[in-house]
Amino acid sequence: MKRTKVEIDGMQFQVVGNDDSEYIRDMAEDLTNRIEEIRNANYRLNQVQSLILTALNILDEKKKLDNRFEELSTADPKAGLSKEYLEEMDQIKQELSAEKEDGAIIKDQNKKFKNKIKQLEEKIKENSKKLNTSLEEGQKLKEQMKILEKDKKKLEEGNLKAQKEIVDLNKEISLLSGKGDAK
């Protein structure tokens, strides 16, 4: 427990308690100021009368605050609130409601976009399969083209060889026919 020395209306006191010394000094100064206000407003009062009247005013303030606290504790939460505050609360509720609606719209659009994305992904898979199939067929056609080109080359070589043989045979025939005529 702390001891704090204070002066109230010119009188010295030792206050014992757990509160901070500065807090106790502030309360003592406030009380002295209140006593002086009462004395200045009623110059005929002696010190004791000024103290009693100040105490009565403080008790009156406390009682009114207690009653107000009781009213607020048991009253409708909206009772006693300013009109501006209630209007602001209503506006906030409307904005929240609008945002919830916007949220629902966005959620619905998001769902539609997800479905569209899913459809597009399926089309991409389908087209990818078709493309792979086409690439495989193209590769097979390339291989067949190589085979056909080899066959063509062989045929051309065979044709050239056959033409040479024909030319050689024609020469031989012509030689043979020319010798047969000479005989």
Side-chain angles (χ1 to χ4, degrees), residues 121-141:
E121 285 175 343
E122 288 174 9
K123 280 187 176 181
I124 288 171
K125 282 181 185 178
E126 185 180 312
N127 288 338
S128 180
K129 285 180 183 178
K130 286 180 181 178
L131 179 64
N132 286 337
T133 302
S134 295
L135 288 173
E136 288 173 6
E137 288 176 3
Q139 191 63 32
K140 287 179 184 176
L141 288 173

Side-chain angles (χ1 to χ4, degrees), residues 1-179:
M1 297 273 246
K2 297 179 189 175
R3 290 181 176 268
T4 305
K5 186 177 181 178
V6 295
E7 182 179 324
I8 300 173
D9 195 35
M11 296 180 278
Q12 301 293 321
F13 294 93
Q14 283 287 334
V15 179
V16 178
N18 291 326
D19 291 320
D20 182 51
S21 296
E22 189 65 32
Y23 172 74
I24 293 171
R25 283 188 198 99
D26 287 345
M27 285 194 339
E29 185 180 336
D30 185 39
L31 181 56
T32 298
N33 291 337
R34 286 174 174 239
I35 293 168
E36 287 176 8
E37 285 177 17
I38 295 292
R39 190 175 295 130
N40 291 336
N42 301 296
Y43 63 90
R44 292 187 197 167
L45 299 177
N46 64 30
Q47 186 178 22
V48 173
Q49 290 171 326
S50 297
L51 293 173
I52 290 173
L53 195 53
T54 301
L56 187 60
N57 285 343
I58 291 171
L59 285 173
D60 178 52
E61 288 175 14
K62 182 190 178 304
K63 185 72 172 169
K64 287 178 181 175
L65 286 173
D66 288 345
N67 289 341
R68 182 69 177 143
F69 178 76
E70 184 65 28
E71 286 175 16
L72 291 174
S73 297
T74 58
D76 178 16
K78 290 185 178 180
L81 297 177
S82 70
K83 183 179 178 183
E84 293 85 17
Y85 181 78
L86 291 174
E87 288 173 354
E88 185 178 349
M89 291 295 288
D90 286 339
Q91 184 179 355
I92 289 171
K93 285 180 184 177
Q94 290 173 356
E95 289 173 5
L96 281 174
S97 177
E99 286 182 18
K100 282 183 183 177
E101 289 175 16
D102 289 347
I105 291 170
I106 290 171
K107 218 176 196 180
D108 185 49
Q109 288 177 340
N110 191 17
K111 191 174 183 179
K112 287 178 182 176
F113 286 139
K114 283 183 179 179
N115 287 337
K116 188 71 174 173
I117 288 171
K118 206 176 215 179
Q119 291 173 354
L120 290 172
E121 285 175 343
E122 288 174 9
K123 280 187 176 181
I124 288 171
K125 282 181 185 178
E126 185 180 312
N127 288 338
S128 180
K129 285 180 183 178
K130 286 180 181 178
L131 179 64
N132 286 337
T133 302
S134 295
L135 288 173
E136 288 173 6
E137 288 176 3
Q139 191 63 32
K140 287 179 184 176
L141 288 173
K142 258 186 177 179
E143 290 172 12
Q144 287 177 354
M145 280 292 285
K146 284 181 183 179
I147 292 171
L148 289 174
E149 283 180 16
K150 285 180 184 178
D151 288 348
K152 178 184 168 192
K153 195 171 184 179
K154 283 181 184 177
L155 288 174
E156 285 175 348
E157 287 173 0
N159 190 20
L160 186 64
K161 195 175 187 180
Q163 284 178 355
K164 284 182 182 179
E165 284 180 17
I166 290 173
V167 168
D168 287 342
L169 286 173
N170 280 335
K171 283 183 185 177
E172 215 176 294
I173 290 174
S174 172
L175 280 174
L176 285 174
S177 356
K179 284 187 182 177

